Amino acid sequence: MHRVWKRSPEMMFVATLIIFATMLVVRSFATHPTESLAFDTHAPAPKPSERSTEQMISAFQERIRRKPDDAAAYANLGLAYLQRVRETADPSLYGKAEQALTAALQHDPQQLDAVLGQGSLALSRHQFAEALRFGEHARTLNPYRSQVYGVMGDAVVELGRYDEAATTMQ
């Protein structure tokens, strides 16, 4: 006998979260293709990144001082500020992130990381319609980048458009 599932906003939200979590897990394996899934009990534990977010911010600032037209450096600086907000819960850094991301887009309107950063920033500020616009713009630049669908999926969930969220995440 075939069971029929009722679509409810709660079920769609849960399904979207499961799909998003699955994408993150798959992406983590894809970004480290040389790592084996087998555990080597004799191998030392991997070292955490040697550079802190603060050090990365300083490095990107220095790179911008040397190459003031480097859109990627501005984008990475903005993303580093967003990471620093996550680490410190200091919302005053949103303004710095926005300045850097805006500068990146002024130098290169097609700078994908800056567009995605703007989408993430809009999500953080609960500006979900704006986040969706950035996500859609990012999709036109590169429909194969998984972060595009993370921004779009989060935005449509927050806008209460659960069917669209499920489609976006799939």
Side-chain angles (χ1 to χ4, degrees), residues 18-91:
I18 290 170
I19 292 167
F20 184 70
T22 302
M23 287 175 54
L24 289 176
V25 169
V26 169
R27 184 172 175 264
S28 71
F29 286 121
T31 52
H32 305 291
T34 59
E35 293 180 7
S36 171
L37 294 179
F39 293 102
D40 181 357
T41 57
H42 301 290
K47 293 182 180 180
S49 175
E50 299 293 325
R51 297 176 75 180
S52 70
T53 305
E54 288 177 314
Q55 290 170 323
M56 290 173 32
I57 288 170
S58 294
F60 289 125
Q61 289 171 332
E62 178 58 32
R63 186 168 149 189
I64 290 167
R65 275 191 281 283
R66 286 179 299 166
K67 285 184 68 181
D69 294 335
D70 189 343
Y74 282 105
N76 285 316
L77 177 61
L79 295 173
Y81 277 128
L82 290 176
Q83 177 59 36
R84 192 69 184 139
V85 171
R86 290 182 203 99
E87 295 169 358
T88 64
D90 179 1

Side-chain angles (χ1 to χ4, degrees), residues 2-168:
H2 191 253
R3 178 177 279 185
V4 177
W5 290 86
K6 286 186 176 181
R7 282 191 191 179
S8 69
E10 295 82 10
M11 289 296 292
M12 294 304 294
F13 180 71
V14 170
T16 301
L17 287 177
I18 290 170
I19 292 167
F20 184 70
T22 302
M23 287 175 54
L24 289 176
V25 169
V26 169
R27 184 172 175 264
S28 71
F29 286 121
T31 52
H32 305 291
T34 59
E35 293 180 7
S36 171
L37 294 179
F39 293 102
D40 181 357
T41 57
H42 301 290
K47 293 182 180 180
S49 175
E50 299 293 325
R51 297 176 75 180
S52 70
T53 305
E54 288 177 314
Q55 290 170 323
M56 290 173 32
I57 288 170
S58 294
F60 289 125
Q61 289 171 332
E62 178 58 32
R63 186 168 149 189
I64 290 167
R65 275 191 281 283
R66 286 179 299 166
K67 285 184 68 181
D69 294 335
D70 189 343
Y74 282 105
N76 285 316
L77 177 61
L79 295 173
Y81 277 128
L82 290 176
Q83 177 59 36
R84 192 69 184 139
V85 171
R86 290 182 203 99
E87 295 169 358
T88 64
D90 179 1
S92 70
L93 296 172
Y94 285 140
K96 291 181 178 187
E98 183 175 26
Q99 286 176 339
L101 295 168
T102 299
L105 292 173
Q106 287 171 345
H107 291 298
D108 179 4
Q110 308 298 309
Q111 216 303 328
L112 180 59
D113 289 323
V115 175
L116 289 169
Q118 289 281 26
S120 181
L121 177 62
L123 287 170
S124 298
R125 291 176 165 170
H126 293 204
Q127 298 167 339
F128 305 120
E130 185 176 347
L132 181 56
R133 282 192 297 276
F134 281 115
E136 289 168 342
H137 178 61
R139 182 176 56 188
T140 65
L141 297 175
N142 185 345
Y144 304 105
R145 184 89 170 263
S146 62
Q147 292 92 337
V148 167
Y149 300 99
V151 168
M152 291 177 63
D154 284 353
V156 291
V157 164
E158 294 295 341
L159 292 169
R161 295 158 42 182
Y162 303 112
D163 289 340
E164 186 178 345
T167 301
T168 298

